[in-house]
Amino acid sequence: MANLKLEKKRESQTSCIVMSNFFIFFAYFIPFIYIPIRANDLGIENYSWIIGIIGMANIPIRVLFGFLCDRKFLRAIHMNSFCLLIATVLLFSYYYLNNFTLQIIFGILFAISMAGINSLPTKYLVDQVGSEKFRNANGITNLFRGFGVSFGPFLAGILCEKLESNFYAFVFSGFSFLIAFIFSLLSGLLRKN
């Protein structure tokens, strides 16, 4: 009986992880599409640097997250939740960053959150389901990520077109990351109990 309760609890945690990843990838590519458009609207000529900074800063920060996971400084699911919270705040505030310097600062901070979001899932999935069931859990997670990627940018584009402003792409992304944060947080809290 106790084993059955443990399995139900793990299923709930895994479902929260899968849903979190769905909402992450529902909005994952939207900022990369609309950051250059917004910067160009502001008259920033070097807007490609913003995306470039995100990419360049992302690589060493992924290594740092790997190091932190190895040292068991924090649990991977908690680091993921923190990264999602940072990304959510940044996405909600992005539209108000109206000069190149603020957008570069955004790029660096956004790179930190995206590095964690990209490098931590393997660790927290193994923590959650064990190495024996990792392949199945990773496959299901990637399936839902694929569904999110397929529909999110499309819906954001429709929303921006209907409301005639790119502002709503960032709001849409922010809310999607907020929902992902809630699911990630729930997964971490279910693990404690």
Side-chain angles (χ1 to χ4, degrees):
M1 188 67 169
N3 196 19
L4 183 63
K5 275 187 172 179
L6 184 63
E7 278 303 310
K8 291 259 187 217
K9 185 176 167 186
R10 281 197 176 185
E11 286 177 18
S12 297
Q13 291 170 309
T14 305
S15 295
C16 285
I17 287 172
V18 168
M19 291 309 298
S20 176
N21 276 273
F22 170 79
F23 283 104
I24 288 168
F25 279 84
F26 196 65
Y28 185 84
F29 291 106
I30 296 168
F32 297 104
I33 295 167
Y34 286 95
I35 285 171
I37 294 169
R38 172 69 178 149
N40 195 28
D41 290 348
L42 291 171
I44 297 172
E45 293 177 13
N46 299 326
Y47 58 83
S48 61
W49 273 97
I50 302 163
I51 300 295
I53 291 289
I54 294 170
M56 288 184 283
N58 195 303
I59 295 165
I61 295 168
R62 285 184 186 210
V63 174
L64 176 65
F65 276 113
F67 177 79
L68 293 174
C69 282
D70 281 347
R71 301 292 175 254
K72 299 192 184 330
F73 177 69
L74 284 172
R75 287 193 34 242
I77 194 70
H78 296 308
M79 286 190 278
N80 184 67
S81 296
F82 180 69
C83 289
L84 284 167
L85 182 62
I86 291 172
T88 301
V89 170
L90 289 169
L91 287 169
F92 279 129
S93 64
Y94 178 76
Y95 205 77
Y96 301 103
L97 307 177
N98 56 8
N99 65 47
F100 183 70
T101 305
L102 290 175
Q103 295 213 1
I104 292 296
I105 292 168
F106 165 87
I108 294 167
L109 295 174
F110 196 64
I112 293 169
S113 62
M114 297 315 271
I117 289 166
N118 281 315
S119 63
L120 294 169
T122 302
K123 176 67 173 140
Y124 65 69
L125 277 173
V126 170
D127 288 348
Q128 175 59 39
V129 299
S131 57
E132 311 82 37
K133 296 181 180 179
F134 170 74
R135 286 185 300 187
N136 288 340
N138 193 42
I140 291 168
T141 301
N142 285 334
L143 176 70
F144 277 83
R145 285 176 168 187
F147 289 146
V149 165
S150 298
F151 298 115
F154 176 72
L155 292 175
I158 290 173
L159 186 67
C160 290
E161 194 173 286
K162 293 287 182 198
L163 299 174
E164 298 177 359
S165 175
N166 294 331
F167 169 76
Y168 297 102
F170 296 100
V171 172
F172 181 85
S173 295
F175 275 114
S176 187
F177 272 73
L178 180 62
I179 294 167
F181 165 72
I182 291 167
F183 277 115
S184 181
L185 194 63
L186 281 173
S187 178
L189 293 175
L190 286 170
R191 176 89 187 224
K192 281 186 177 179
N193 297 334

